[in-house]
Structure formats: structure tokens, C-alpha cells
Amino acid sequence: CYNNPSVKQWKEQFMLFTNIPEKSIRLFTSEHKEMLPPPTEACVVISTYSMISYSGRRGDLTASMIEQVKSREWGLMLLDEVHVAPAQMFRRVLQVCSAHCKLGLTATLVREDGLIKDLNFLVGPKLYEANWMDLTQQGYLASVQCCEVWCPMTREFYDTYLSDDIPDRHKKMLYVLNPTKIKVCD
């Protein structure tokens, strides 16, 4: 999963929609480190991309759990918010964990850096896509209202934005952190 709240939500959903005993669903996050059963016993491990992919120094318990995760071949690796998996750090999850089958889920199969195409070889091709408007009409998603709000830049930001000697990444920071936009959002 992408973050700790998602890990907890996935555990709740596994318990709601399967007959897997709770003792067989193990969490591996910065907050919860539940040791894995012996390799002869089936289990579900729910973790975050960060916990699995981190390559720095770890505590003894965390290092032991990573070794347990790495030492098994998992039947299924379910990647929530799979569009983050091509990121340089997060793709390590796919190297650390060995899985017979990989399934990625996302509602936003888009990345600004163009790495979304890497999912074809990291996870596999897209198998299914649903139109969000159809899902809304069928009652699976809440109705939404989309609107665009244009916020002029402050004079100081705009003058800096128009200068020729400013790098593109600084220009992006100017339009993202535009004080007028932040006030409108508030």
C-alpha cells in the first residue's frame, strides 16, 4: 500500500470479504510489526511500499521481517495504487518480493514522468479498465462535481515566473505555491 491508513483499510476489507482468520493477516508498517508464521503456514502480509523498499539501516525486528518476506515466494502480490510502483525507490518492492502473480490496482493510471509504461514489464499489461462515469451511474462511486478555478499569480510571483533566467522547476514551484491559489483553497 501507499501509506499506513491504507494498510489498515486493506486488513479491514480482507476480514470483511474473506474467511481468512485475523491471525493470518499480518501488518508490517512503521507502527505495526507482526512476525510472520513459519513458511509452511499461509498468511497475508500487508505493508507499505516504503517499508519494503527502504534500503537504509533498519532495526533488528524490521530487518528480520524483511528477510522473512524476501525468503518466500508469495502466491500473489497485490499492489494498491500501482501507479506509484515505477518510482525509482518503490520499484524495489518488485525486486525484494518474489511473487508467482502480480496484480496492480489504481484509479489513476497516470504519471507525469512517463514511467507508467514501465508497469508493463514490472507488473504486466492492463487487464481491465472501468469508466468512472459508468461506475458513478451504477452507484459504485459518489457523484462528483468538477470545476476549474483560475487564480492569478501575485505580482511578485508573476514577475519572477516571467524572467528568462529561472529554471523550469522553480517556475513550477511558483505556480504550485501561488499565494492566491492557497487562499482560494483555504
Side-chain angles (χ1 to χ4, degrees):
C1 300
Y2 185 71
N3 56 31
N4 290 349
S6 295
V7 168
K8 291 175 186 169
Q9 290 172 351
W10 271 101
K11 180 177 181 178
E12 290 168 10
Q13 295 304 304
F14 270 108
M15 290 172 48
L16 183 64
F17 290 103
T18 72
N19 60 0
I20 300 170
E22 185 173 2
K23 71 178 182 69
S24 296
I25 302 174
R26 305 296 172 96
L27 303 185
F28 180 37
T29 67
S30 55
E31 300 169 355
H32 298 89
K33 294 173 185 66
E34 301 170 357
M35 295 302 290
L36 277 55
T40 55
E41 191 178 317
C43 69
V44 172
V45 176
I46 309 171
S47 189
T48 63
Y49 288 98
S50 298
M51 282 300 288
I52 302 295
S53 63
Y54 179 70
S55 59
R57 184 158 155 57
R58 297 177 178 265
D60 292 341
L61 178 59
T62 304
S64 171
M65 289 192 68
I66 282 291
E67 285 309 311
Q68 289 180 38
V69 169
K70 287 168 66 172
S71 68
R72 296 186 186 201
E73 178 167 359
W74 298 90
L76 172 65
M77 180 188 299
L78 181 61
L79 299 147
D80 191 27
E81 304 295 348
V82 73
H83 61 278
V84 303
Q88 184 177 4
M89 184 68 169
F90 289 169
R91 69 174 52 208
R92 288 197 67 242
V93 169
L94 297 156
Q95 297 161 348
V96 169
C97 300
S98 176
H100 181 71
C101 181
K102 298 173 192 141
L103 178 64
L105 305 172
T106 187
T108 52
L109 195 57
V110 176
R111 286 184 65 92
E112 290 183 13
D113 59 9
L115 293 178
I116 204 73
K117 65 186 181 317
D118 289 0
L119 285 176
N120 285 329
F121 69 84
L122 291 170
V123 179
K126 180 174 24 171
L127 299 177
Y128 179 77
E129 181 174 335
N131 181 302
W132 70 270
M133 290 182 280
D134 293 340
L135 294 173
T136 302
Q137 286 179 335
Q138 295 166 11
Y140 293 107
L141 298 176
S143 295
V144 297
Q145 179 184 3
C146 298
C147 59
E148 188 172 347
V149 179
W150 284 72
C151 302
M153 281 188 182
T154 62
R155 190 80 194 134
E156 298 82 9
F157 271 53
Y158 193 59
D159 289 344
T160 306
Y161 181 83
L162 291 177
S163 66
D164 294 331
D165 60 340
I166 186 168
D168 286 342
R169 63 186 178 94
H170 289 162
K171 284 187 176 190
K172 182 178 180 180
M173 288 175 68
L174 288 167
Y175 67 72
V176 168
L177 298 173
N178 174 9
T180 308
K181 186 186 292 188
I182 292 170
K183 286 179 186 174
V184 168
C185 287
D186 267 350

